[in-house]
Amino acid sequence: MSDSSSPREVPVFVALDYASRAEARALVDDFGEYCTHYKVGLQLYLAAGRSFIEELVDLGKHVFLDLKFHDIPNTVRGAVIEAAKMGVDLLTVHASGGEEMVKAAVDAAHTTDFAMRAPKILAVTLLTSITQEQLGKLGYSVSTIPEQVALLSNLAKACGAYGVVCSANEIADVKRVSGLKAVVPGIRPAGFRSGDQARVAVPKIAIQNGADYLVVGRPITKAQDPLQALRAIQTEVTQALSEDAEMIQ
Ligand SMILES: O=c1ccn([C@@H]2O[C@H](COP(=O)(O)O)[C@@H](O)[C@H]2O)c(=O)[nH]1
């Protein structure tokens, strides 16, 4: 979306976690040209299906389909091909599905007939809702969260993924081991409750840490004035990017 010679841009994907197409479409219409990037996850996909994704694509929006595939390689390959047909920009699989599965996803995205619009594959490392304690209960008690994220980022890179999903706390580890794009949910503007998110950061910190994309849901969709909440986040991102650029000069 931007090359290394152009100024750094960090798109904000608004997570449309709604139970109906009508609610999601109302927000998209309210935001108009203020928002060009939307994420569709399990809830809205199950409620509104492919046609809503195609509607967003037809509106010229960048669509991140966040269905987090985790299955045997052959099944994931088929699912990626079907997703590619909708013209989505980004698509998630769980890195913990293993090398063969992530490779199958990347290969499917690149061997599809829709090569011009091949979705970029993101590997989810550790969900931003996971704590160190929960990681231990999953049997990874020898690893810290940053170590586990680094390990899975390395795997994602070896498989040819475009990027990973991680929290703002692990971006440096991701960049160090893989150089992949960091797509960062768990964004909480100052004062907004964390809820079920465990590894959170304000937009400014995510930018300072090197995020390539932010993902924001409830701090926007549950705000009294969602457009105002979106604009405030966009302003914080723009300011942090210009402070960062000044530091580099
Ligand atoms: O590790 C992950 C991976 C995906 N998500 C998704 O991002 C949004 C975040 O929503 P908020 O309301 O801002 O918490 C949501 O759609 C998740 O499914 C994530 O949070 N963490």
Side-chain angles (χ1 to χ4, degrees):
M1 293 179 188
S2 72
D3 64 56
S4 55
S5 59
S6 49
R8 182 175 162 213
E9 282 176 28
V10 178
V12 175
F13 276 97
V14 173
L16 293 171
D17 291 326
Y18 287 113
S20 71
R21 177 200 166 277
E23 287 170 286
R25 182 61 203 248
L27 189 93
V28 172
D29 288 341
D30 281 352
F31 284 3
E33 63 192 27
Y34 285 116
C35 186
T36 48
H37 290 69
Y38 288 99
K39 184 178 88 72
V40 176
L42 288 165
Q43 184 184 21
L44 184 61
Y45 188 72
L46 290 171
R50 297 176 72 91
S51 64
F52 184 69
I53 306 284
E54 287 161 354
E55 206 174 305
L56 286 176
V57 172
D58 287 346
L59 286 169
K61 306 298 182 188
H62 293 284
V63 180
F64 170 5
L65 184 60
D66 183 23
L67 300 182
K68 302 186 188 71
F69 298 145
H70 193 180
D71 209 317
I72 59 171
N74 186 56
T75 301
V76 168
R77 182 177 298 111
V80 169
I81 290 171
E82 291 311 312
K85 291 178 185 169
M86 291 185 273
V88 301
D89 286 295
L90 297 172
L91 186 57
T92 42
V93 301
H94 273 291
S96 58
E99 246 178 49
E100 293 310 315
M101 193 208 80
V102 180
K103 271 188 197 149
V106 172
D107 289 350
H110 289 113
T111 55
T112 172
D113 291 344
F114 305 87
M116 291 299 289
R117 307 175 77 185
K120 296 180 168 73
I121 301 296
L122 301 175
V124 177
T125 56
L126 276 184
L127 294 168
T128 50
S129 54
I130 299 278
T131 60
Q132 184 65 49
E133 192 191 347
Q134 288 174 34
L135 187 65
K137 287 184 185 165
L138 288 171
Y140 300 101
S141 44
V142 288
S143 304
T144 63
I145 282 180
E147 284 167 350
Q148 189 64 17
V149 170
L151 185 127
L152 292 170
S153 301
N154 207 11
L155 180 148
K157 185 185 183 191
C159 298
Y162 170 75
V164 300
V165 179
C166 64
S167 89
N169 305 342
E170 300 104 32
I171 301 170
D173 301 287
V174 167
K175 296 290 176 186
R176 179 175 49 77
V177 301
S178 72
L180 292 180
K181 300 286 181 192
V183 178
V184 180
I187 298 299
R188 288 292 180 267
F192 196 89
R193 61 196 173 279
S194 301
D196 54 352
Q197 296 282 13
R199 307 192 324 277
V200 297
V202 296
K204 179 177 175 170
I205 297 293
I207 298 299
Q208 285 175 352
N209 289 0
D212 296 291
Y213 301 85
L214 303 189
V215 176
V216 189
R218 288 161 290 181
I220 293 172
T221 57
K222 300 288 184 203
Q224 254 185 353
D225 182 345
L227 180 57
Q228 194 263 329
L230 169 72
R231 302 288 290 145
I233 290 169
Q234 289 172 333
T235 302
E236 186 173 334
V237 167
T238 308
Q239 275 170 2
L241 284 171
S242 64
E243 282 165 22
D244 224 41
E246 275 168 26
M247 295 236 315
I248 293 167
Q249 281 171 2

